[in-house]
Amino acid sequence: MAEETPVQPRSAMPVDPIARVARSRHEFGEHGGVNLSIETSSTFTVLEAGKMPEMFGGRAGPKGGCFLYGRHFNPTVMVLSRHLAALEATPSAYCTASGMAAISGSLLQACDTGDHIVAGQALYGGTWALLHDYLPRKADITTAFVDLSDLAAVARAFTPRTRVLYCETVSNPTLRVADLPALAKIAHERGAQLIVDNTFAPVAITPALHGADVVIHSLTKFINGASDIVAGCVCADGAFIDQLYDLHVGSLMLLGPAMDPRAAYEVATRMPNLGLRITEHARRALACAERLEALGAQVIYPGLAAHPDHALYARLANPGYGAGGLLSVDLGTPERAYRFMEHLQNVEDFGYMAVSLGFSDTLMSASASSTSSELDEAALRAAGISPGLVRLSVGYTGTLEDRLSQLERGYRAAGV
Ligand code: PLP
């Protein structure tokens, strides 16, 4: 049983996401420590034997302090989940072993065999493969991929079996912004749920306040922030979270991607500085984008006035947290992209050639040949992912002045 309403009712809820996280229930350690304790047990005792059938029958649960088994609900994982529900302004949330577990679990929960999904054409490669290859083959769940900026095309893609409209708030790696209120309207008018992956825009955008029904994160990225833990979460209403953990048809309960409570503790200790990190990632990403733009580079960053979704981003964003820590730059050819990244890593110590994002240092990858390589040629073209596109997750180490000089030298070394 998911714990409902960890945040205050919407009327009294702070509009600032970091204020909501700070107000979500703080847990003290077992002995009054300022940090929470880790509940490592995978199984839990009862005082009366009759409690067990009550729990298995769903008549007793974590809401009343009754825990059953670690693959079901765990008290430490629930603390982190409450912070994430507060962050995303959803009544409930629960964490998973990875972002992909959160995505696959949510989609399998929302869809039955023969159902249909409408999804954005620019998506993380793993998600694209799940929708394009895995779900049709394993579950006869099919997906129509559409350009989300063409709202008429989105509406046309719906069939009577469409259960989900799926998108990333800011798409990976093309950094297009989803018009969440418009997409929510299209989905809800047709009886579908809007499921949003908000991995690229934590704190900055709160999709549930723009109509999203389910909000997913790969906690592996900005929210954890140290590139040392793989984790995910689903933020939604209590009914959806309960379904995920149903003993008979719960995707997360039965497929079993449980978050380890030790990982939950680690991520929870990093929640208090999430707002500071996001603000600094975004401040530096904007400065890098402006420097590249001044050099004449094909730079994509929603904080630049030239970005096609600049105004939309400003409309959706929570004030004060910037336009995200990611920027992409199209260097035209893979050779230039590789020269750019190698110079920045091996000559300048600007950052690392590595996938993933949200780390303290800058991470760089050529998306078409790495985290988007699951997309076939036509899908890469449709999504606008060129072979020379480099995605940078801008870190906050070193001085900004130094980083900008390094970036400029890297761009010149690419020989554009
Ligand atoms: N969503 C997005 C936007 C991602 O970029 C990724 C991974 O890169 C995922 C989901 C998957 O998350 P995880 O690696 O935690 O399973």
Side-chain angles (χ1 to χ4, degrees):
M1 190 187 298
E3 191 159 357
E4 191 65 51
T5 326
V7 289
Q8 298 165 31
R10 289 214 168 162
S11 55
M13 193 166 61
V15 287
D16 183 276
I18 291 303
R20 283 196 301 274
V21 174
R23 286 220 216 154
S24 62
R25 179 150 31 109
H26 186 76
E27 300 283 326
F28 292 104
E30 203 180 345
H31 305 287
V34 293
N35 287 307
L36 71 154
S37 297
I38 311 174
E39 176 52 76
T40 56
S41 301
S42 58
T43 191
F44 298 82
T45 58
V46 291
L47 290 176
E48 299 118 35
K51 210 61 183 173
M52 226 176 250
E54 273 186 52
M55 285 193 282
F56 276 91
R59 297 183 301 283
K63 210 169 169 180
C66 294
F67 290 91
L68 185 62
Y69 183 60
R71 176 159 45 79
H72 195 231
F73 292 107
N74 168 284
T76 312
V77 179
M78 284 187 76
V79 173
L80 174 62
S81 303
R82 280 196 287 273
H83 293 319
L84 293 163
L87 175 71
E88 288 301 352
T90 55
S92 191
Y94 205 64
C95 297
T96 54
S98 69
M100 282 312 296
I103 295 167
S104 55
S106 296
L107 291 175
L108 285 169
Q109 207 59 47
C111 298
D112 291 328
T113 308
D115 281 344
H116 181 256
I117 296 169
V118 176
Q121 56 194 5
L123 294 172
Y124 164 58
T127 307
W128 189 88
L130 176 76
L131 293 166
H132 186 265
D133 303 321
Y134 186 94
L135 288 177
R137 202 175 304 173
K138 302 290 184 186
D140 190 26
I141 296 168
T142 52
T143 297
F145 294 92
V146 288
D147 173 359
L148 293 180
S149 66
D150 183 347
L151 295 174
V154 174
R156 273 198 310 276
F158 274 68
T159 75
R161 293 299 299 265
T162 305
R163 299 284 173 264
V164 171
L165 175 53
Y166 185 89
C167 68
E168 294 172 356
T169 316
V170 175
S171 65
N172 181 359
T174 51
L175 309 183
R176 292 302 304 261
V177 182
D179 186 345
L180 298 175
L183 295 174
K185 186 164 181 289
I186 292 171
H188 295 161
E189 281 172 357
R190 290 160 181 77
Q193 299 193 70
L194 177 63
I195 302 188
V196 178
D197 179 340
N198 200 30
T199 300
F200 274 32
V203 183
I205 296 179
T206 310
L209 298 181
H210 301 293
D213 302 287
V214 178
V215 181
I216 286 165
H217 279 283
S218 165
L219 302 178
T220 315
K221 313 292 170 15
F222 288 104
I223 291 185
N224 179 55
S227 290
D228 61 344
I229 289 172
V230 175
C233 71
V234 182
C235 304
D237 63 20
F240 191 77
I241 302 295
D242 280 350
Q243 279 172 34
L244 291 170
Y245 288 91
D246 185 277
L247 267 59
H248 297 274
V249 290
S251 299
L252 295 181
M253 185 64 195
L254 297 175
L255 298 178
M259 173 184 265
D260 189 291
R262 298 161 187 86
Y265 170 82
E266 294 284 347
V267 181
T269 59
R270 292 158 199 184
M271 289 300 286
N273 54 45
L274 176 63
L276 296 174
R277 288 188 279 115
I278 292 293
T279 307
E280 189 60 7
H281 278 298
R283 185 178 80 89
R284 288 181 178 231
L286 175 62
C288 289
E290 285 173 344
R291 176 63 62 97
L292 287 169
E293 190 180 50
L295 292 168
Q298 295 288 314
V299 59
I300 305 164
Y301 184 67
L304 293 178
H307 188 283
D309 303 321
H310 181 67
L312 173 61
Y313 188 97
R315 182 154 60 81
L316 297 182
N318 298 310
Y321 295 103
L326 287 145
L327 69 86
S328 293
V329 54
D330 192 347
L331 294 146
T333 65
E335 292 74 25
R336 284 191 207 128
Y338 293 174
R339 270 204 301 276
F340 175 66
M341 293 191 293
E342 282 173 1
H343 183 93
L344 284 176
Q345 174 179 287
N346 300 336
V347 179
E348 303 286 349
D349 286 324
F350 173 83
Y352 303 116
M353 286 184 276
V355 297
S356 203
L357 46 126
F359 187 46
S360 48
D361 279 309
T362 295
L363 303 179
M364 307 172 283
S365 51
S367 300
S369 51
S370 59
T371 55
S372 298
S373 60
E374 292 90 343
L375 279 69
D376 57 36
E377 280 296 319
L380 284 171
R381 239 191 334 276
I385 305 169
S386 94
L389 189 89
V390 174
R391 188 191 74 190
L392 290 93
S393 168
V394 179
Y396 47 75
T397 58
T399 67
L400 179 56
E401 293 66 31
D402 203 24
R403 294 300 187 208
L404 291 174
S405 306
Q406 294 172 331
L407 181 63
E408 182 163 343
R409 289 195 292 272
Y411 182 71
R412 293 192 195 289
V416 182

